[in-house]
Each structure stands twice: as structure tokens, then as C-alpha cells.
Amino acid sequence: MTGQEREAGPGLDTLGRRSQRDGVRPTVIRLERVTLRYRVPRERIGSIKEYVIRKIKRLVFFDEIEALADFDLSVRPGETLGVIGRNGAGKSTLFKLIARVLYPSSGRVVVEGRIAPLLELGLGFHGELTGRENVMLQGALLGFSRREMRRRLPGIVAWSELAEFIDSPIRTYSSGMTARLAFAVATDVEPDILLVDEALAVGDERFQLKCRERIDAFRQAGKTVLLVSHDLTQIRENCRRTVWIHKGCLVRDGDSESVTAAYHAWSLTGSEIPPDPQASGSASG
Amino acid sequence: MRLDGVAGGVHPIYDSARRPPRAIEEARGLWAYRNLVAELAIRDIKIRYKRSVLGVFWTMLAPLLNMVALTLVFSALLKTQIQNYPVYYLAGSLFWTFFSQTTSSTASHTQEANEMTKRIFIPRSVFVASAIAVGLVNLALSIVPMLLLLLVMGFPLHATWFFLPVGVVLLSLFSAGVSLILFTVASRFSDVREMYLVLVQTWFFLTPIVYHPAIIPPRLRFALWLNPMYYLIQTARRPIYDGLIPSAALLAAAAGVSVTALAIGWVYFSRHADQYAFES
């Protein structure tokens, strides 16, 4: 991809960066020419003995993978941004950069506000612990104090409708119940930015509906939501703006209708990505 | 970046271009996530004691069983010169167990840490800190049977017991330093833990716990002086067994090795903290 600025909607970014200095916060997420390189060993060397032997014989080789290349993105507060692309295109990498799980090899990532990563619902849940104990642990994983979590516990229990099971070990829960509890914790903590990675594909219909309602409430409260999904209908329904990532590059950024249409057309035909009619330069993958 | 704003509801700002030095960033992160340290420790303790009925008793019983076996061997067979051998052995081995358990348990938390830090942001040092916390709880539990033993044997409960926390703190700092290095290497290589277990077993016998340092011939004394655990075990054992406060020289040596280990461990650890998410 060429280095030109890819504007997110008309005039958004110019406006954004200027008033940044005036103390207003027009962007909550800003990626400036971000490149992320992984150094992947050609063969997985899991033991230190093998590593030392290979190092002496000079048999340690690395491949460099560029997960994101020269990536620019600005997201305004209150925006709901759809992120689409094939598996391995760099969608998760983008989320991980925003969530501070990965750091850019070059470029800059600025995030203002508290993030709730719905990347992995129920990460760190332990089957032997009760629902209540797991909620406390989840809260701690999100950086909350014990007192804060005690205050939030009733709301979390109420929303998840698990009051009668909250003191049973969660190994006795169904997967839907676990998901409900996890979602309740992740969203009860009042994040400014919600990263949703197809997390809603779990649970029964009622739960999915409740999740949608909650995400809608977030959007109405002016929170920022980033949604990764392969379900283009879901993207169109929820997001006005969508970005399409291909092989670590941003190939489209615009209104969801046109971006998903272009993506859909490309998915059917295959290899070449047609140039972006909205951009002046060409967008090569 | 202001991580501490997270819980307070202040707008936290993260700017990848304005990160403080890694060692400082890691320290701030650890402080901001101190509740996670506690929660992880509570979880580990609960799980450990939920699973087995013997649970707590086992923590208390295991050192006593070892003590009985070693007392038989050393007092009856080897006719050791050490007075009140059970007390001598326990007063050293409890602290050794704390060290070896915490360090090897951090090494076994690396997989979990890798899994978590690949998915959400948490400072990795929380895993080392929580292992130390768990170790301290276990140490406190295992002191109970030692106190009982002292009462049964009629061994005096020296006033110098009040000095024990100093030894425990220094030992914790040293254990943290070793754990940080071990954790870093073990996060990358899965066989490090096994190698360490062998090493720590050898290290145990090189440290005067089952035997008295006086039996080491003078020409081999340097091996003791090179062993950081020698100073730390002596510092912790002396108030209990000898009823003495450690000498200034001993204290200085113990403090020196623990602070140095922690400093080296911290810098090494935080320097490598970024790359974990790529590994495994």
C-alpha cells in the first residue's frame, strides 16, 4: 500500500488532528503508519538444549512476517467501525495493537480511554472456582480493584441472570452460561472502547439479543465500538463505516455499504483487489 | 501512560510513542494491577486446597515427614554433632522450600501467562509476584508445625523471633529476582523448568541445611561464600535456632545478594516483556 493518507469519511482526520492540540479529543484510536513485524523461527525450537546446539551450528533461521504494513487509521468517539478481511489478514493484529497486547515495530498507536476487549470471553476463567470468584478474577484481569468489583458484582449477576448459580463452580455451568457471565463482566466495567471479535456467536437467542441491546446502548452512550466479523449483514446493520484489511494493508475505508459490497464481489471472484475508486492512488495488497 | 487511572475512571491514555523505560513501565503496571496479584494468589491457594482433602494439612505435614526421616539418618546413623537436629533442619528447610517452590512455580505459570498476555494486556510480572505471595502463605502455614515441634521438644522460643520478617523479606526479594529470570527464559523454552528442578536439587545440597556449615573444610569454604542462599538461610535460621540476631556482615551480604538479584532480574525481565506475545 502506498503511503497516502486514507481519510476516514470526508474530512474527518484533518479536523481530528488539528483540534487534538487544542485539548479536545476527536479521535479515540489513532494509528499512524504502523508496521508490525514478527520474527518467526523457521522451525519451532521449544527446548533450550536444541536452541544452544543450533545456535552453535548457526542453524537458527527466522522469517519475517509483516502482519500490518504502514497502517493508518483514526476512529472518532462514538463511531462503530466494522473491520473485515480474510482470515490472517491482520484484523486480530489490529485489535491487539489497540489493546496493547502487541507493540508496533514502527509507527505510533494512540488510544484514549478504557478498553474492554471482548476478544476472548472467559479468558482466565477457572472451572473449580465459583461464578462469584471468577467475576472477581476477571475484574482484576481488566485492572479493577477489589472494592470496585464488589460494587459491580450485583449488576453483573443480575444481567447474566445467574443469581442462583453464582456460588457454584463454573465447571457446572453450560457454555452459554459461562459466556453470559463473561460478557456481563466485560461490558459492565463501562469501557470507552469495546473491541468485539465475533464474540456474539455464542449462547442462545435470548442472550444474543441481550448482547446486541447492550452494544446498542454503548453506541447510544457515545462509546466507540470496533466489530470484527465475517457476517457482512451484521457489519452493515451495526456500522456506518467499515475498513477492509488485506494482507496487513488497509485496502478500503468508507461507508459500510460500498466496502462490504466491494469485499463481497472480491470474495466471489478471487485474486485481484480492484483499486479503490475513492482513493487517488492504487491500493495494492 | 496513566494506567492507574483505569480503576478510578480517569481517561487512561496509551501512546506507543511515549512509553517510559521498560523497567519503570513494568513497575507501574505491577502496581496498577496489584489486585490481580492478589486474585491470582487467592485462586492458586483455593484451587490447591479445594482439590485435596488433606490440603492445608499436607503443607504442614510434608516438612515434618522430611524432618523425621532426616533426623533418623543424621542423628542415629551419622551421629551428627548438631544439637536439636529437628529444629536445625526445619529452621533451614522451611525457607529453602519457600525459595524452591516459588521459583519453580513461576516457571510452571509461563504457559498460562503466555496464553493470557497474547489476548489481553496485563503486566507479566503479576505472575511472579503472585507466586511469591502464594509462597509466603505456604511458609506461614508451615511455620505452625515448627512452633508445635519447638513446644513439644521444649526448645526455647527465642525473643529473636521478632527478627524473622527481615530474613523472610530478603529471601522473598532474592526469590523474586531468580523467578524473574527463570520466568523469562522458561516462557521461551519449555524444558527450562525441568533443568531448573535438577539444578535446585543440587543447590539444596550445596547449601548447609541438612548439615552444619562448620563441617565444610576450610579450603572449600569459598563455595559457601559464593552461594547466595547460604547468607539468606543463615539470616532466617539464626533468630530461630541460635537465638541470635544476624551479624551486620551477614545482613549486609544477605541484603546485597537479594537486592542485586532483584535488580538484575527486573531489568532482564522487563527488557524482554514486549516480545512474549509473539512467542509460542
Side-chain angles (χ1 to χ4, degrees), chain A residues 6-267:
Chain A
R6 224 164 261 288
E7 302 298 11
L12 179 141
D13 210 353
T14 25
L15 196 146
R17 258 173 230 174
R18 203 169 301 134
S19 41
Q20 181 73 26
R21 283 180 208 109
D22 305 332
V24 196
R25 290 205 195 90
T27 61
V28 265
I29 300 169
R30 212 161 74 239
L31 275 78
E32 293 169 9
R33 307 193 54 124
V34 169
T35 296
L36 185 90
R37 264 178 240 105
Y38 288 83
R39 224 164 62 113
V40 188
R42 200 160 290 174
E43 285 160 274
R44 168 111 188 86
I45 306 167
S47 93
I48 199 165
K49 294 166 224 144
E50 201 186 337
Y51 182 79
V52 170
I53 290 166
R54 278 168 177 262
K55 197 88 191 171
I56 293 166
K57 289 184 176 169
R58 294 170 192 281
L59 279 173
V60 184
F61 300 110
F62 291 95
D63 287 322
E64 268 208 343
I65 292 176
E66 246 179 24
L68 280 187
D70 212 8
F71 202 96
D72 283 296
L73 180 73
S74 299
V75 185
R76 284 183 299 176
E79 234 180 335
T80 305
L81 179 75
V83 182
I84 55 173
R86 280 199 326 212
N87 288 332
K91 305 185 298 284
S92 310
T93 306
L94 173 66
F95 272 22
K96 286 179 176 182
L97 276 164
I98 294 169
R100 269 188 82 184
V101 168
L102 294 174
Y103 296 96
S105 314
S106 68
R108 183 177 180 196
V109 180
V110 183
V111 179
E112 302 191 16
R114 192 184 327 175
I115 295 183
L118 288 192
L119 305 165
E120 304 282 335
L121 279 181
L123 173 75
F125 267 8
H126 199 288
E128 293 294 323
L129 299 180
T130 67
R132 186 191 304 274
E133 289 166 341
N134 271 303
V135 168
M136 298 303 282
L137 181 59
Q138 282 285 298
L141 276 169
L142 294 170
F144 285 92
S145 70
R146 181 157 264 264
R147 204 202 302 160
E148 179 79 4
M149 285 317 290
R150 276 215 197 93
R151 192 174 71 73
R152 291 179 182 278
L153 189 68
I156 291 171
V157 176
W159 192 87
S160 60
E161 300 174 11
L162 288 167
E164 50 186 317
F165 306 105
I166 202 68
D167 287 310
S168 319
I170 63 160
R171 66 181 148 77
T172 62
Y173 287 24
S174 70
S175 60
M177 287 159 75
T178 314
R180 231 146 72 199
L181 193 62
F183 187 87
V185 181
T187 52
D188 187 86
V189 295
E190 292 163 32
D192 305 300
I193 302 162
L194 199 59
L195 302 176
V196 189
D197 195 346
E198 290 182 301
L200 306 183
V202 287
D204 54 22
E205 215 164 315
R206 179 177 153 74
F207 169 62
Q208 295 206 12
L209 203 70
K210 280 185 81 173
C211 289
R212 296 249 163 75
E213 276 171 18
R214 195 154 216 188
I215 291 178
D216 283 343
F218 267 113
R219 286 161 51 196
Q220 269 144 33
K223 311 280 185 173
T224 311
V225 180
L226 268 67
L227 174 68
V228 160
S229 182
H230 288 293
D231 182 352
L232 298 182
T233 319
Q234 196 188 1
I235 294 274
R236 276 194 298 267
E237 273 171 12
N238 288 289
C239 321
R240 266 178 60 193
R241 176 182 165 208
T242 294
V243 293
W244 170 10
I245 305 177
H246 185 68
K247 290 186 179 164
C249 295
L250 200 153
V251 292
R252 283 286 193 289
D253 181 349
D255 69 285
S256 295
E257 285 299 329
S258 66
V259 174
T260 50
Y263 177 72
H264 183 66
W266 171 80
S267 308

Side-chain angles (χ1 to χ4, degrees), chain B residues 1-248:
Chain B
M1 91 206 62
R2 299 197 314 269
L3 271 173
D4 43 345
V6 171
V10 188
H11 249 303
I13 296 170
Y14 157 57
D15 185 345
S16 70
R18 289 200 200 130
R19 297 176 63 195
R22 298 297 185 270
I24 293 169
E25 188 181 54
E26 188 67 38
R28 282 186 196 160
L30 180 61
W31 176 247
Y33 278 76
R34 57 194 182 280
N35 181 35
L36 182 56
V37 175
E39 287 290 344
L40 285 173
I42 291 169
R43 179 199 66 178
D44 285 352
I45 292 165
K46 271 185 183 159
I47 288 167
R48 178 171 175 181
Y49 294 132
K50 257 180 193 175
R51 266 192 203 144
S52 65
V53 187
L54 270 176
V56 181
F57 293 102
W58 184 244
T59 306
M60 300 180 170
L61 215 60
L64 282 185
L65 286 176
N66 276 333
M67 181 272 295
V68 171
L70 280 160
T71 308
L72 284 176
V73 173
F74 276 81
S75 311
L77 296 175
L78 297 175
K79 309 249 183 287
T80 174
Q81 300 301 305
I82 302 174
Q83 298 285 308
N84 295 308
Y85 184 77
V87 180
Y88 177 82
Y89 169 72
L90 271 185
S93 78
L94 290 186
F95 300 108
W96 180 270
T97 306
F98 167 78
F99 168 73
S100 70
Q101 263 183 5
T102 49
T103 47
S104 52
S105 112
T106 40
S108 34
H109 274 89
T110 52
Q111 209 187 343
E112 183 195 28
N114 285 346
E115 281 303 306
M116 286 192 179
T117 50
K118 257 196 289 187
R119 289 172 172 84
I120 64 169
F121 168 78
I122 37 173
R124 288 178 70 96
S125 49
V126 295
F127 293 98
V128 174
S130 82
I132 302 281
V134 172
L136 286 172
V137 171
N138 287 335
L139 178 65
L141 283 176
S142 58
I143 281 181
V144 174
M146 180 162 74
L147 284 171
L148 287 178
L149 182 85
L150 296 189
L151 289 177
V152 171
M153 287 178 64
F155 191 88
L157 214 59
H158 299 293
T160 46
W161 265 78
F162 83 90
F163 202 77
L164 188 60
V166 176
V168 173
V169 166
L170 293 179
L171 189 61
S172 304
L173 297 182
F174 182 74
S175 303
V178 173
S179 298
L180 287 164
I181 295 169
L182 194 62
F183 191 79
T184 308
V185 187
S187 296
R188 171 75 177 80
F189 300 107
S190 57
D191 58 342
V192 167
R193 192 181 121 81
E194 291 162 51
M195 290 165 73
Y196 178 73
L197 290 179
V198 176
L199 183 85
V200 86
Q201 191 62 34
T202 315
W203 195 351
F204 172 77
F205 287 110
L206 292 176
T207 310
I209 293 162
V210 295
Y211 57 87
H212 198 278
I215 66 166
I216 298 200
R219 62 191 172 85
L220 291 177
R221 282 281 156 83
F222 72 92
L224 275 188
W225 297 332
L226 288 175
N227 180 359
M229 278 305 282
Y230 167 66
Y231 306 110
L232 292 163
I233 291 286
Q234 287 285 76
T235 305
R237 180 169 53 197
R238 198 157 278 177
I240 298 173
Y241 180 73
D242 300 304
L244 294 171
I245 285 180
S247 67

Side-chain angles (χ1 to χ4, degrees), chain B residues 260-279:
Chain B
T260 309
L262 183 61
I264 293 173
W266 192 264
V267 169
Y268 179 70
F269 178 90
S270 47
R271 196 171 280 178
H272 287 79
D274 275 13
Q275 73 197 37
Y276 287 120
F278 299 106
E279 309 284 359

